[in-house]
């Protein structure tokens, strides 16, 4: 297909498609004439993935490039691909490692070790979890890492199901890796949205004038 | 306390504290002399909240200001505060409402109605969930909103527990609202991190050479 059709089917304006080509987020098409190239279904698919990462995942361009490298890299052992994709997905936590941060990292390391989770020492999510613990403590909450235990239980049941589901879809290695990335980014956005919606709903149940909240209501 | 002590105890450099004061994120201290003011524990607490929203939540300044307004506003009924805080927390989805987006929004509205969740028509999370559905469909997945059902079940059990926990802490209205905001931002970051860590762990179980994965492994 021509670039105009590629853009139309991908829902992306042609100048943006050209930008992605220049940035290497899309591989070049097959040249058919001077200034003209032919694009296939795999271009369309990649274009849609790029768009999902940028728009739903809100990733910066540099991270999209890293994620695509993880998708395309045929040599990384499959069990490390999640780690690599997550590393590319960030977040980058560049905070100064002052004493309470170092303490929180040790606490989180111990927390994860207790659960028997095998994750890379430098996984960004490990740092992000420690940052959340630091934030709670700096806000004056006297908490240890076990405050996250109920979340870990839910996260593990979710992850087990998700990884199994990806495995059952079959397909090529690239399909599998793409499913991991999409699953991480898109369903993460969905989970966050659903938690907020459920909070709003349960807050209304508890604090609005509805019958159910009467019993639970506290002084305002 | 002086501004220097406020900064030190809040872990924020004095020029940054001054910036927050100018931006209205921190209320002014009590003037004690020309160019000198006295700050109390409530300033320290607010400073730590601002920092958590900026650093853990990754919110832009304008959103922090809106969230603080929701915390400080004593008139919004409590059951609407979650909605207001979430609205301020974003995300802003400004995408063009083309047909597949409108269809996804209708699908999500029906999905939430089926579950009996009461959430504001314009809740940003409603839009974010529809965007996730659009992304999946544009990636070629033939899915309806029920694909999110397992996530909704988990989100609801989590939210019910979280709202009950906030209610049981007691304290003033401002305490309650602050707990909502911190709970949304900090535990959201923790949940996202834990899901990624659990995915990495289960991916290793399934695809590494460990005994458990042998049975589950697919062709690469």
């Amino acid at each position: 297909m021509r670039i105009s059709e590629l853009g139309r089917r991908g829902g992306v304006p042609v100048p943006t498609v050209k930008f992605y080509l220049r940035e290497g987020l899309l591989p070049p098409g097959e040249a058919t004439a001077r200034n003209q190239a032919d694009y296939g279904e795999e271009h369309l698919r990649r274009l849609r993935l790029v768009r999902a990462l940028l728009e739903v995942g809100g990733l910066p361009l540099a991270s999209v490039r890293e994620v695509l490298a993880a998708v395309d890299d045929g040599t990384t052992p499959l069990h490390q691909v999640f780690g690599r994709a997550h590393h590319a997905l960030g977040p980058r936590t560049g905070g100064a490692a002052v004493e309470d941060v170092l303490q929180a990292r040790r606490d989180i390391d111990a927390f994860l070790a207790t659960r028997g989770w095998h994750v890379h020492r430098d996984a960004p999510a490990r740092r992000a979890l420690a940052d959340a613990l630091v934030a709670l403590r700096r806000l004056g909450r006297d908490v240890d890492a076990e405050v996250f235990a109920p979340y870990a239980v839910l996260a593990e049941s979710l992850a087990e199901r998700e990884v199994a589901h990806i495995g059952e879809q079959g397909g090529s290695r690239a399909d599998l890796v793409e499913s991991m990335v999409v699953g991480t980014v898109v369903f993460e956005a969905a989970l966050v949205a659903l938690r907020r919606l459920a909070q709003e709903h349960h807050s209304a149940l508890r604090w609005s004038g509805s019958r159910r909240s009467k019993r639970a209501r506290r002084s305002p």
Side-chain angles (χ1 to χ4, degrees), chain A:
Chain A
M1 71 190 95
R2 297 255 188 109
I3 195 168
S4 53
E5 188 184 343
L6 177 65
R8 189 179 51 71
R9 290 179 60 193
V12 174
V14 169
T16 307
V17 177
K18 288 183 175 166
F19 172 73
Y20 292 167
L21 285 164
R22 279 198 308 277
E23 291 286 321
L25 302 179
L26 270 180
E30 195 182 336
T32 51
R34 206 152 64 95
N35 285 331
Q36 231 174 67
D38 189 53
Y39 299 90
E41 293 300 318
E42 73 281 9
H43 288 93
L44 180 60
R45 184 169 163 174
R46 175 55 54 101
L47 180 60
R48 287 171 168 162
L49 178 60
V50 168
R51 201 178 162 195
L53 293 172
L54 289 170
E55 293 184 8
V56 181
L59 297 193
L61 276 182
S63 300
V64 173
R65 204 175 286 117
E66 283 180 65
V67 170
L68 294 178
V71 171
D72 293 336
D73 172 8
T75 62
T76 308
L78 207 47
H79 72 274
Q80 289 177 16
V81 169
F82 253 121
R84 247 200 94 180
H86 288 172
H87 191 86
L89 289 168
R92 300 287 176 276
T93 57
V98 288
E99 182 44 36
D100 64 344
V101 174
L102 296 174
Q103 181 61 49
R105 287 185 190 167
R106 287 191 293 269
D107 294 347
I108 293 300
D109 288 348
F111 174 73
L112 295 177
T114 305
R115 315 197 80 80
W117 289 10
H118 294 101
V119 290
H120 196 281
R121 258 211 83 66
D122 298 326
R126 199 188 270 270
R127 295 281 173 94
L129 193 57
D131 286 351
L133 186 56
V134 170
L136 289 175
R137 288 174 175 167
R138 286 184 181 166
L139 285 163
R141 313 270 178 109
D142 180 22
V143 289
D144 61 29
E146 284 301 316
V147 72
F148 297 134
Y151 297 83
V153 172
L154 289 187
E156 179 154 21
S157 76
L158 210 50
E160 183 165 16
R161 179 206 307 251
E162 290 171 322
V163 169
H165 181 69
I166 289 172
E168 279 152 17
Q169 287 174 343
S172 70
R173 187 179 189 289
D175 291 337
L176 220 57
V177 176
E178 193 187 299
S179 286
M180 285 183 188
V181 170
V182 170
T184 298
V185 171
V186 178
F187 284 94
E188 180 172 296
L191 177 62
V192 162
L194 283 163
R195 174 171 169 259
R196 290 190 181 186
L197 294 168
Q199 282 179 337
E200 187 177 334
H201 169 58
H202 277 280
S203 162
L205 283 184
R206 174 172 271 260
W207 286 297
S208 78
S210 77
R211 57 184 159 61
R212 178 157 169 199
S213 68
K214 283 283 191 304
R215 152 179 77 77
R217 183 150 43 171
R218 303 245 144 192
S219 60

